[in-house]
Amino acid sequence: MEFWESSFIEKQMMWGFAPTDSAILAKDLFLERNANDILLPGIGYGRNAKVFIENGIAVTGIEISQTAIDLARKNGINCKIYHGSVTEMPFDSKQYDGIFSHALLHLLNKEERATFIKDCYHQLKPGATMMFTTVSKKAPMFGKGKQLDQDYFETKDGVKLFFYDADSIKQEFSEYGLEAFSEIDEPNKDSDNKPPITFLMIRCKKSTGVL
């Protein structure tokens, strides 16, 4: 928590305010599937929330950094945001039409990831879709820093990252309605000098028979 709070204090809107390409794709799918009310765990300062809100989708966020929440408010993001860690989910008893979480899953350890995926699934309405973008083993940071476990590394800044591939996605998502996953190269929209990062976009659909 301290890392993200100090990062947002120091760097403010460190990724700019343009939505990620994956958020734009998620918005299109949610509109296609008539999702009117979605949950964004790790909403940050709201750069991805904006694209959903502007398209008439109600957003609820979860964010660990109060500074990020304050930045979201300054940028006109007025949706409900729970202040806390996704490891403390659920923050409400609602089930949502959709869940989108960008670049958060890979920051959790194995037990936290399993719990987070399960908690998200439980907060989906039957027939609803959840989407995650998570860093791939093809990303330039893979294999750098101190190795903590298989495909799990700590950077020089102290950030712990788990790098996904097809096998780990199937392993962690197969019992949660895994529909599809694909690679997406996310450009750094706030800096032309930095190379894009290869993410994996994971899509799951809750069975209509599951509450």
Side-chain angles (χ1 to χ4, degrees), residues 62-159:
I62 300 169
E63 177 51 48
I64 198 167
S65 164
Q66 184 59 51
T67 300
I69 295 171
D70 295 343
L71 286 168
R73 298 299 185 221
K74 277 183 198 164
N75 282 291
I77 305 296
N78 297 317
C79 63
K80 185 172 190 62
I81 302 176
Y82 293 106
H83 179 218
S85 169
V86 297
T87 59
E88 296 159 6
M89 285 175 68
F91 287 86
D92 58 35
S93 56
K94 272 179 75 168
Q95 285 191 319
Y96 291 86
D97 296 332
I99 293 175
F100 175 70
S101 180
H102 174 68
L104 184 151
L105 185 64
H106 52 249
L107 299 170
L108 306 175
N109 66 34
K110 190 175 183 178
E111 293 73 26
E112 289 168 340
R113 290 196 309 274
T115 303
F116 177 51
I117 295 163
K118 184 177 72 180
D119 288 344
C120 284
Y121 192 73
H122 285 157
Q123 286 209 257
L124 276 184
K125 286 178 184 169
T129 304
M130 62 181 187
M131 300 174 80
F132 302 84
T133 52
T134 187
V135 76
S136 160
K137 282 166 79 168
K138 291 187 182 175
M141 314 88 76
F142 177 64
K144 293 174 183 167
K146 178 184 170 193
Q147 183 158 8
L148 304 171
D149 204 340
Q150 186 180 342
D151 302 332
Y152 191 39
F153 295 85
E154 185 173 347
T155 71
K156 62 181 190 317
D157 298 322
V159 182

Side-chain angles (χ1 to χ4, degrees), residues 19-40 47-59 97-102 129-133 184 186 189 201-203:
T20 58
D21 288 358
S22 50
I24 295 165
L25 291 171
K27 174 263 298 178
D28 291 342
L29 187 81
F30 286 148
L31 289 173
E32 193 184 298
R33 295 188 175 185
N34 301 311
N36 301 310
D37 187 12
I38 66 168
L39 180 66
L40 264 60
R47 68 177 176 140
N48 287 327
K50 196 164 174 266
V51 76
F52 299 110
I53 294 165
E54 285 173 348
N55 283 276
I57 300 171
V59 168
D97 296 332
I99 293 175
F100 175 70
S101 180
H102 174 68
T129 304
M130 62 181 187
M131 300 174 80
F132 302 84
T133 52
I184 181 165
E186 283 286 4
K189 294 185 178 181
M201 196 163 182
I202 303 158
R203 188 176 84 227

